[in-house]
Amino acid sequence: MKKISALILITLFVFACSGNKDQAKWDEASVVGYYGEKINHENIVSVEEMMNQLNESDSIMVKVEGEITATCAMKGCWMNLVLPSGEEMRVTFKDYAFFVPKEGMEGNRAIIEGKVKKSMTDVATLKHYAEDAGKSVEEIAAITEDKNELAFEASGVVILNTEEKSL
């Protein structure tokens, strides 16, 4: 009986130490930082797959990976991810509870988890975002119409260096 118990314990130890291969990739990646709620490596979809899911619904809960194109230069209170169309999706942070770095994140990969929805952003908000991004007075003045876009409220974010492969 002791031999069987010892064998079971050894087997469990080996499985526990081997871990998940995807987790090992995550651990080895050059992580810039974790922000907000801790998120794991499971069930991450591409931006393209997220867009396909949004064809079926106006809002979804999702964990998505994409390229960062900008962050708020004032506080780090938002960031943009590039969409397949070349447009950008604004990512804000749940309950304004955390921020990302204000500079140097462009081109890095981000894994974000939360709720994405189709929304209409008014001119005043668009101008506010443009000011936060450091746009010129002329660029801000050129914003004259509300915009249909995707709004993502993230509960957690992981930022990876660009040298790393996507997960």
Side-chain angles (χ1 to χ4, degrees):
M1 186 66 160
K2 288 182 181 182
K3 288 181 180 178
I4 293 174
S5 296
L7 183 60
I8 291 172
L9 286 174
I10 291 170
T11 304
L12 289 173
F13 179 77
V14 168
F15 280 112
C17 290
S18 66
N20 185 311
K21 290 181 183 177
D22 288 337
Q23 184 66 45
K25 282 197 291 187
W26 186 292
D27 292 339
E28 293 169 12
S30 294
V31 174
V32 173
Y34 298 92
Y35 309 92
E37 293 178 13
K38 184 81 170 177
I39 59 176
N40 62 37
H41 63 282
E42 297 170 354
N43 304 315
I44 300 169
V45 300
S46 66
V47 175
E48 291 82 6
E49 175 60 28
M50 178 192 72
M51 297 298 290
N52 289 338
Q53 291 179 23
L54 280 169
N55 287 334
E56 306 294 319
S57 178
D58 285 340
S59 68
I60 57 171
M61 295 298 291
V62 68
K63 190 181 316 174
V64 65
E65 177 183 2
E67 181 183 344
I68 301 170
T69 57
T71 59
C72 173
M74 301 298 284
K75 291 190 219 179
C77 58
W78 55 260
M79 67 182 181
N80 289 344
L81 295 186
V82 69
L83 296 173
S85 64
E87 291 188 34
E88 297 176 337
M89 173 179 65
R90 172 96 44 219
V91 180
T92 57
F93 309 115
K94 187 175 180 181
D95 299 328
Y96 211 58
F98 62 95
F99 303 117
V100 296
K102 297 185 288 186
E103 55 188 41
M105 295 300 101
E106 295 81 5
N108 285 338
R109 307 291 299 169
I111 293 91
I112 58 176
E113 183 171 23
K115 183 177 184 176
V116 62
K117 65 181 180 177
K118 298 173 187 175
S119 69
M120 177 70 73
T121 306
D122 61 67
V123 170
T125 302
L126 291 169
K127 287 186 177 200
H128 173 77
Y129 288 150
E131 288 174 16
D132 282 354
K135 301 285 183 185
S136 70
V137 173
E138 294 80 17
E139 289 173 300
I140 295 168
I143 300 170
T144 59
E145 295 183 15
D146 296 347
K147 183 178 180 183
N148 272 322
E149 57 185 358
L150 296 180
F152 197 111
E153 183 181 59
S155 58
V157 175
V158 178
I159 298 178
L160 304 171
N161 281 332
T162 37
E163 289 91 40
E164 300 303 322
K165 302 273 190 248
S166 63
L167 298 176

